[in-house]
Structures are given as structure tokens and as C-alpha cells.
Amino acid sequence: MTADSSKPALGVTDVGHAYGARRALDGVSFDVPVGGFTVLLGLNGAGKSTLFALITRLYDAREGRIEVFGHDVARLPGEALRRLGVVFQQRTVDLDLSVMQNLTYHAALHGIAGAEGRRRAALMLEWFDLSDRHKDKVRNLSGGQMRRVEIARALLHRPNLLLLDEATVGLDIRSRADIIGHVRRLVSEEGIGVLWATHLIEEVEMQDRVVILHQGRILAEGPVAEVVSQHGGRDIRSAFAALTGADRPRAASEAAA
């Protein structure tokens, strides 16, 4: 899908959200550039999943503005969401369908039916090294393979922006590296913009942009080297600790926002 490269892939401006009296997000603003890998880094409970729910319109954004390639998700949701692929933290694949069925049914929801849907699904399975598992029920896959199916599914309609919320939670080290490698390859080879939400500092690389979200507020944003330099850290881990007052990331078992 063609997108206007003169505009950010994602623009978030002064976004706020509350659950009753509790402010989950407060004046959040940042951009995700076209064809770049941006890490939304924050401890569990920082507000990352709430922000994803607002971007994808699971919740209405009543404070601020969210745009996907210049299209306001509140006023032009169809135009905005058409350019967006999403992988949520909780798995959403149907365990009792085959890998191919999961992909072709999702393609049909985007109006890509019949031979074209099967063709795109086959291409995605080849890209993610899953062609030999196309007939298998999803429940028979490993956790890492399920994640690859979800990412493949999110790309069927050829979005220009991919959002992934804690995509490696619960995976072993090898599976985590495999998933991150596939997504980074999408950025470098396909020019897709990526917003990768995580609480794991080791998933951040020096060439990335980073947005540090803490208790619903943005504490820093920019290239990793710039954020580290501005906040007196030796590396992104020490800069993150200095900004948030955290000696170390919380365990993955803590409840996510």
C-alpha cells in the first residue's frame, strides 16, 4: 500500500487517557518515522498497552490526536487503520485452525479473498520460514512460531506501519532473537515503519529510535545514542535507570498496562 513518506508513519500528539481517577497516559507525544524501528520502552504498567488500544481504536482517544500517515484515527479511521498492522500482547490466532486457514480467513476480512488471499498467505509463510507448517493446526506450533504466524497475518494487507506490543513475552532467548530479527528485516528490506513496545532493555539496539514511557508520561525520545548522551548514561540501560529511578527492569510476570 502506498503511503505519503513526507509524513510520519505514526504521529501521537498530547494524548491522554484515564481509568476513572487514575491517569494511564498524560500528554503523550512522539513520532514514528517511515521505514524506521522505534522502541517504546517502559516498565510493565507504564501505559504501553493503553496507548496501543488508543492507536487501534479499541478505545476512543478523547484527549489529543493520533495520526497514521497523516490520517486522524478518530476522524478517518478507515484510512488510518488500512495502513496499520498490529500484533497484540495476547495471542489472537485460532488454535483449532491450520496456519493457512488463520491467514486466509484474516485476508478475507480485508477483502482479499480466493486465489489472491492464498497467494499472499503463501508468500508470508515463505518469508517467515513457515511454509512446511501451512497445514498444521496452530496449537501444534511453538510459541515463537505462533508469533511468526501473527506477524505474517498482520502483514497480509500490506500495511506501511506495524505495531507490536510485547511480542516476545514468554518466549525463550532463541525465539525472541528470531522474532526481532524478522521484524528488523522488514524495516531494512521492505521499508515498513515499526513501533516495538517492550519492557526488555536488551531488545533495544544503538541504531534504533527509543521512546521512554514511564507512569504514563514520555521521559525521553530520539536516537538511542542521543538519549544516552543527554541523560548521562553509559548505555541505554543506565540512561533508563537514571530517568525512571529503576535499578533494573521489573519481571515479565508483573501485570502489563
Side-chain angles (χ1 to χ4, degrees):
M1 182 181 297
T2 302
D4 184 352
S5 60
S6 68
K7 299 180 183 298
L10 175 68
V12 177
T13 306
D14 293 329
V15 168
H17 191 78
Y19 299 103
R22 183 175 74 85
R23 296 288 294 176
L25 296 171
D26 191 4
V28 170
S29 298
F30 67 93
D31 289 341
V32 173
V34 176
F37 192 96
T38 299
V39 180
L40 180 64
L41 179 64
L43 300 172
N44 291 320
K48 302 185 300 294
S49 294
T50 296
L51 181 58
F52 270 47
L54 295 171
I55 295 169
T56 57
R57 286 190 53 87
L58 293 178
Y59 303 154
D60 283 332
R62 298 182 179 178
E63 300 176 32
R65 183 181 180 93
I66 299 171
E67 295 180 326
V68 177
F69 289 96
H71 299 284
D72 190 318
V73 300
R75 294 189 300 106
L76 297 167
E79 290 296 323
L81 299 181
R82 240 193 306 274
R83 292 163 170 78
L84 190 63
V86 187
V87 178
F88 291 106
Q89 182 173 346
Q90 299 299 321
R91 291 199 174 97
T92 57
V93 282
D94 191 318
L95 299 180
D96 292 316
L97 295 181
S98 72
V99 171
M100 180 61 79
Q101 285 172 327
N102 266 277
L103 267 61
T104 54
Y105 287 179
H106 188 77
L109 292 176
H110 283 276
I112 310 164
E116 178 62 13
R118 292 190 296 273
R119 187 185 70 81
R120 291 197 191 186
L123 284 173
M124 285 295 99
L125 293 178
E126 183 177 353
W127 178 277
F128 286 98
D129 301 322
L130 289 167
S131 296
D132 61 335
R133 307 300 299 269
H134 73 282
K135 292 183 179 179
D136 292 358
K137 286 188 176 181
V138 169
R139 69 170 61 256
N140 295 326
L141 303 181
S142 68
Q145 289 168 332
M146 286 186 193
R147 273 302 192 209
R148 280 189 274 156
V149 171
E150 288 188 299
I151 299 171
R153 188 182 61 177
L155 295 168
L156 284 171
H157 62 293
R158 298 173 179 163
N160 306 109
L161 172 64
L162 183 63
L163 309 183
L164 303 102
D165 186 11
E166 298 281 6
T168 63
V169 164
L171 301 183
D172 59 43
I173 292 174
R174 182 174 178 178
S175 295
R176 279 175 49 204
D178 181 58
I179 294 297
I180 296 171
H182 276 293
V183 175
R184 289 188 181 280
R185 189 156 59 100
L186 284 168
V187 174
S188 63
E189 296 183 12
E190 302 296 320
I192 292 176
V194 166
L195 180 61
W196 177 277
T198 185
H199 68 282
L200 299 171
I201 292 175
E202 57 266 31
E203 294 184 350
V204 184
E205 296 188 359
M206 283 300 294
Q207 71 269 23
D208 298 336
R209 289 181 59 83
V210 65
V211 178
I212 295 178
L213 181 66
H214 185 63
Q215 297 180 349
R217 297 185 180 216
I218 300 295
L219 301 186
E221 175 197 1
V224 169
E226 183 178 301
V227 169
V228 170
S229 174
Q230 287 178 350
H231 298 283
R234 299 179 307 279
D235 51 26
I236 188 61
R237 183 179 296 275
S238 58
F240 181 81
L243 282 161
T244 64
D247 293 328
R248 58 183 175 83
R250 297 176 190 173
S253 59
E254 293 186 28

